[in-house]
Amino acid sequence: MDKLLINMYDKKSIEYLANHLKLLLKEGQKISILCIGTDRIIPDSLGPMIGTILSENIVLDDIKIIGTLESPLHALNMKKRIKRELDKDELVIAIDANKGARVGEIQVLDHPISPGKGLRKNLPQVGHISIVGTTLENGELTDIYDHKIRLGDIYKMAKTISSSLSLAINELRYE
């Protein structure tokens, strides 16, 4: 299993993430980026925030971004949207928030994730590659409205992940 774990506060986090993602991506590959979460709950807004940032910065025909602040990809619409919007021949990168050891940790995995698992949701596994950002600590209550993370921290993590994805994709396109 190919895995990377970094902290968003590491000064080279964007560079490390981009270099790792380049190892997992192939030049000319069609990519769908699933940015999972809702804009209604701060710890779960990471995915839609990344989707919005990416949709403003990546304008390529072979890159599809699903899930933004305006049109979130969440538990209530995920099955329908995936069925309707994903093509079979695309590489799928799934991005989601999770509970973990430390807020600010970002993991890149070379396998699917199970969105909503921490909240006992039964959703399909998604992604060939997964990017997971820790927005709640394991010891925190499961009440997602009672959290310590600030919106500014979510935004910093979203900028780190979206910048590294943009860098990796652009470097593959122009090598």
Side-chain angles (χ1 to χ4, degrees), residues 46-91:
L46 179 66
M49 199 175 291
I50 291 168
T52 299
I53 294 167
L54 288 173
S55 65
E56 293 169 351
N57 295 310
I58 294 181
V59 185
L60 297 168
D61 292 336
D62 55 350
I63 306 291
K64 190 185 310 175
I65 297 158
I66 303 169
T68 62
L69 291 169
E70 282 188 23
S71 180
L73 177 66
H74 50 67
L76 300 177
N77 67 15
M78 182 176 292
K79 289 178 185 176
K80 283 183 185 177
R81 286 191 65 189
I82 287 174
K83 188 175 182 181
R84 184 177 68 228
E85 298 178 44
L86 280 185
D87 295 329
K88 298 254 186 263
D89 62 338
E90 295 173 322
L91 173 79

Side-chain angles (χ1 to χ4, degrees), residues 156-171:
K156 178 170 180 44
M157 191 181 305
K159 289 288 288 184
T160 299
I161 294 169
S162 58
S163 295
S164 64
L165 264 169
S166 295
L167 185 62
I169 290 168
N170 287 331
E171 285 185 11

Side-chain angles (χ1 to χ4, degrees), residues 68-136:
T68 62
L69 291 169
E70 282 188 23
S71 180
L73 177 66
H74 50 67
L76 300 177
N77 67 15
M78 182 176 292
K79 289 178 185 176
K80 283 183 185 177
R81 286 191 65 189
I82 287 174
K83 188 175 182 181
R84 184 177 68 228
E85 298 178 44
L86 280 185
D87 295 329
K88 298 254 186 263
D89 62 338
E90 295 173 322
L91 173 79
V92 177
I93 300 173
I95 302 173
D96 200 5
N98 78 333
K99 289 177 82 170
R102 285 188 193 88
V103 168
E105 289 183 340
I106 301 169
Q107 292 183 69
V108 179
L109 309 163
D110 64 350
H111 58 78
I113 56 171
S114 300
K117 188 175 180 181
L119 298 173
R120 296 178 184 87
K121 302 275 185 193
N122 188 19
L123 297 170
Q125 285 193 332
V126 292
H128 300 103
I129 298 169
S130 306
I131 303 173
V132 181
T134 301
T135 59
L136 290 171

